[in-house]
Amino acid sequence: MFAVIMCGGSGTRFWPASRRQRPKQFLNITGRGPMVVETCNRLHPLVRDHEMILVMGVEHLKEATDLFKGRDIRILAEPVGRNTAPCIGLGAIYARHLGCTGPVAFLPADHYIGDPSRFLKDIEAAGKIADRGGIVTLGIVPNRPETGYGYIRKNEEQVNSGGVAAYSVSGFFEKPDLETARRYLMSGEYYWNGGIFVARPETILKETERQLPDLYKGLERLSAVMGTDRFEAELEEVYQGLTGISFDYGVMEHASEAVHVVPSECGWSDVGSWASLYELRRPHADELKNVFDADTLLIKSENCYVSGQSDRLVACLGLKNVLIVDTPDALLVADMDRSQEIREIVERLKKMGKDRLL
């Protein structure tokens, strides 16, 4: 089985720890090493190193090469980011170029999995179903009414693989309001969309040709020169002419191929904000539910998260529900409940011309 690991994205919600040159996927966010390395290691033994393809921005090529030195992992560098549909398409033609005719798992590099063995079992089952045709997605079984994720709704039509059930998909839904999320949870028919897909390369390319013909033409141009010294120049030219579009919107929502969902209870989190990381680390909190990984003195403070990357002591007095991230050149202090809005700081810094902090 092959895997295409998507390493794009700037991780702006993890500023100031995450920067342009070293975004979230290259950081030790969960305490298990750089997230992209953790993602690759998690796939063993189902996917071997030479069957892994990393797709990332060219600006992160050196970092990735250094991280995976000595390992037979393939790396593709996109000249510019164009969202997940081009990324998945590029991974599909490269997997095909390497001789893959069976299933490929397409997954983000920066997600957390609490139960790796369950995850591998679900990916393996999805691969067996996808090998018969169609596209299979992992649907994360929800445990709360979450408004920050898209949702997948299942039909009752069921297939099984290795004792794992899968259902046909009746639709994909955007992030809901709270009342709708509660209804989704109560119905038992909806799963969180974790952005994890399994399909054969030819299935991906067939759907791309039908729904995104301009992207498909570009991919075919690249496929014709893959493995030659013309590839890099062609990649640059093709990507400059592509329109950015997500795989969910561009392909999955109107796929003509069969689409199935494998419900997964693998302890998944997209770790999409400091608040979600705080929730992951809450089992290790102190008696007042504070989480910290810095030289910290907390007095009469509760529900706080302190992350430090400098040598300074961070002293907190009388704080509640506060996020503090201390780095050598920037200090963030924020309401924990507003950590999803941190990207606004990044946008403001751009307008102010403070590129050194981005």
Side-chain angles (χ1 to χ4, degrees):
M1 186 176 191
F2 275 66
V4 171
I5 299 161
M6 298 176 279
C7 308
S10 56
T12 54
R13 285 175 293 181
F14 271 90
W15 187 88
S18 177
R19 305 292 176 96
R20 277 178 180 166
Q21 295 304 315
R22 202 154 183 261
K24 170 191 166 190
Q25 56 269 31
F26 293 100
L27 299 179
N28 182 3
I29 291 289
T30 62
R32 299 179 178 180
M35 297 195 81
V36 62
V37 176
E38 182 184 347
T39 297
C40 290
N41 292 344
R42 184 187 302 131
L43 291 168
H44 290 150
L46 185 61
V47 184
R48 295 164 293 181
D49 273 7
H50 70 274
E51 297 168 323
M52 296 185 194
I53 301 167
L54 307 184
V55 185
M56 65 191 59
V58 67
E59 65 271 23
H60 304 130
L61 180 59
K62 183 182 183 306
E63 173 119 16
T65 301
D66 290 344
L67 278 177
F68 293 101
K69 187 176 182 179
R71 296 179 64 171
D72 192 20
I73 291 176
R74 319 301 178 103
I75 301 177
L76 284 174
E78 296 178 295
V80 289
R82 288 293 185 256
N83 215 319
T84 52
C87 176
I88 286 175
L90 182 61
I93 63 169
Y94 192 44
R96 183 178 66 179
H97 172 75
L98 295 174
C100 175
T101 58
V104 180
F106 300 87
L107 63 158
D110 58 355
H111 289 181
Y112 171 85
I113 303 292
D115 187 346
S117 62
R118 174 78 251 181
F119 174 77
L120 281 185
K121 184 176 181 181
D122 293 339
I123 288 288
E124 185 174 22
K128 290 177 179 177
I129 296 167
D131 208 19
R132 306 170 198 164
I135 304 174
V136 184
T137 182
L138 258 57
I140 311 303
V141 178
N143 57 17
R144 62 184 184 275
E146 175 62 57
T147 61
Y149 302 145
Y151 282 74
I152 303 164
R153 187 181 184 184
K154 69 174 182 178
N155 275 329
E156 290 306 313
E157 182 185 344
Q158 185 174 333
V159 297
N160 287 274
S161 176
V164 176
Y167 300 88
S168 60
V169 170
S170 69
F172 293 84
F173 299 86
E174 297 296 327
K175 298 173 183 178
D177 58 35
L178 183 58
E179 188 56 40
T180 303
R182 285 175 177 151
R183 180 165 51 82
Y184 287 173
L185 182 66
M186 293 296 294
S187 75
E189 298 177 351
Y190 293 80
Y191 306 109
W192 291 337
N193 184 355
I196 301 167
F197 310 100
V198 184
R200 295 183 310 212
E202 289 304 327
T203 302
I204 295 293
L205 296 171
K206 182 179 177 181
E207 280 294 341
T208 302
E209 181 180 20
R210 189 179 72 84
Q211 300 189 65
L212 301 171
D214 289 341
L215 171 58
Y216 178 77
K217 289 175 185 175
L219 293 173
E220 286 300 291
R221 282 177 58 187
L222 294 174
S223 183
V225 297
M226 191 162 272
T228 75
D229 56 8
R230 294 168 49 201
F231 177 72
E232 294 298 330
E234 194 77 5
L235 183 67
E236 180 80 31
E237 184 175 328
V238 166
Y239 258 70
Q240 291 299 330
L242 293 181
T243 300
I245 188 169
S246 74
F247 186 74
D248 290 84
Y249 182 75
V251 174
M252 291 298 289
E253 290 187 7
H254 303 288
S256 61
E257 295 282 321
V259 178
H260 289 92
V261 57
V262 171
S264 183
E265 296 184 87
C266 59
W268 172 91
S269 170
D270 73 341
V271 202
S273 66
W274 287 107
S276 62
L277 181 57
Y278 168 76
E279 290 299 324
L280 278 181
R281 293 188 170 179
R282 276 190 68 172
H284 307 291
D286 67 14
E287 63 277 7
L288 293 177
K289 300 180 180 178
N290 297 303
V291 175
F292 48 90
D293 55 20
D295 186 7
T296 306
L297 175 62
L298 291 156
I299 301 173
K300 297 177 183 177
S301 298
E302 56 183 297
N303 293 95
C304 293
Y305 183 23
V306 182
S307 178
Q309 299 175 14
S310 71
D311 296 329
R312 291 180 293 225
L313 168 73
V314 180
C316 306
L317 173 62
L319 300 181
K320 185 175 181 179
N321 208 48
V322 171
L323 166 67
I324 299 173
V325 184
D326 186 30
T327 70
D329 62 351
L331 171 67
L332 170 70
V333 181
D335 182 335
M336 184 84 74
D337 292 336
R338 303 189 71 170
S339 68
Q340 291 277 1
E341 301 172 38
I342 287 173
R343 62 179 59 183
E344 294 182 17
I345 296 175
V346 176
E347 290 303 316
R348 185 68 64 88
L349 290 172
K350 287 180 184 176
K351 292 178 181 178
M352 295 169 66
K354 295 185 178 292
D355 289 354
R356 66 180 182 81
L357 295 173
L358 300 175

